[in-house]
Amino acid sequence: MRVHKLTIAAMALAAGLSLTACQNDDDGTDRGAASPAASAASSTGGSGSTGSDQQGGTDADGKSPAGTGGGDGTTATGGSGGSGENGKAAKCRTDELEITAIDATVGGDDRGTVAVDLKNGGGRDCSLAGHAGVDLKTDSGTLSAERTGEPAPSVVLKDGERITFGITYPINDSGGSGVRITGLVVTPPDETKSVTLDWPGGATLPVTDGSGTPVQVGPLGSAGQGG
């Protein structure tokens, strides 16, 4: 009977040790499984921290981490600067301008005036800077207008806007037939393509030896009278 009791006690002890061993193994497994998860969380947390740094944060040394959002901000600012430059209105092309000319001579003036109108019809803003080129076609050849010497402004024409400059020329009151004008050629500033128009002013220019008053072109925005 004593032997039987000892055997049962030994079996109970063995069962207890086995249960304890299983519990220890379960704890080890849980800790082992938790470690990769914790590592992933740490990694995620690191990415989040790096994401914060990329919004302008700093590292332990007080320096912006490489490849952070601070760099992106600089690029964006540079991009804005570039956009600012690209946003400037491009120059007006001849094909975008509606060019017309009318007689603008005021009674009593000793010089005739033709007003040339440049209207932006290109569907976008465009810029003009400098003087337009002006040539008169005559029965004696082409006569190029001289500039008045006044400063030429830079202007931006919105779509549909216009600007005018003046051409002045000597009136033929000599009583002679003079030099007959057959056409007006206008070249917008900083362009090479020209437009030929009917000449709306006096039919002829006086014949001179070159000492007379020349045909002159005023700057953009002049109200006529060559500026």
Side-chain angles (χ1 to χ4, degrees):
M1 208 48 196
R2 179 177 178 81
V3 171
H4 183 66
K5 289 180 180 179
L6 288 175
T7 301
I8 293 173
M11 291 175 63
L13 178 60
L17 291 174
S18 175
L19 178 61
T20 301
C22 289
Q23 288 175 345
N24 289 338
D25 288 343
D26 289 343
D27 291 342
T29 302
D30 289 343
R31 285 194 299 270
S35 181
S39 177
S42 175
S43 175
T44 302
S47 297
S49 176
T50 302
S52 298
D53 287 342
Q54 288 179 347
Q55 300 302 315
T58 58
D59 59 16
D61 296 328
K63 299 178 181 178
S64 297
T68 64
D72 293 340
T74 302
T75 301
T77 302
S80 297
S83 299
E85 291 297 322
N86 293 336
K88 290 182 179 179
K91 71 177 183 178
C92 299
R93 299 292 185 179
T94 301
D95 291 338
E96 297 176 311
L97 297 172
E98 300 172 16
I99 305 176
T100 56
I102 61 171
D103 183 9
T105 302
V106 178
D109 283 356
D110 60 354
R111 286 174 64 78
T113 301
V114 166
V116 178
D117 192 77
L118 306 178
K119 180 181 178 181
N120 179 10
R124 65 178 179 90
D125 295 355
C126 65
S127 62
L128 290 168
H131 286 79
V134 171
D135 297 294
L136 300 186
K137 289 184 174 182
T138 76
D139 58 1
S140 298
T142 300
L143 175 65
S144 296
E146 299 179 6
R147 296 177 181 177
T148 60
E150 296 173 84
S154 297
V155 297
V156 173
L157 291 182
K158 295 186 179 298
D159 185 38
E161 288 187 342
R162 66 185 68 214
I163 193 166
T164 304
F165 65 88
I167 303 168
T168 58
Y169 61 95
I171 295 174
N172 182 19
D173 55 7
S174 64
S177 60
V179 177
R180 186 167 61 90
I181 304 173
T182 60
L184 168 63
V185 180
V186 176
T187 308
D190 200 25
E191 269 286 80
T192 57
K193 185 175 182 179
S194 302
V195 172
T196 300
L197 308 170
D198 292 334
W199 172 253
T204 62
L205 297 173
V207 178
T208 70
D209 58 4
S211 61
T213 304
V215 177
Q216 292 184 305
V217 55
L220 296 173
S222 60
Q225 306 297 73

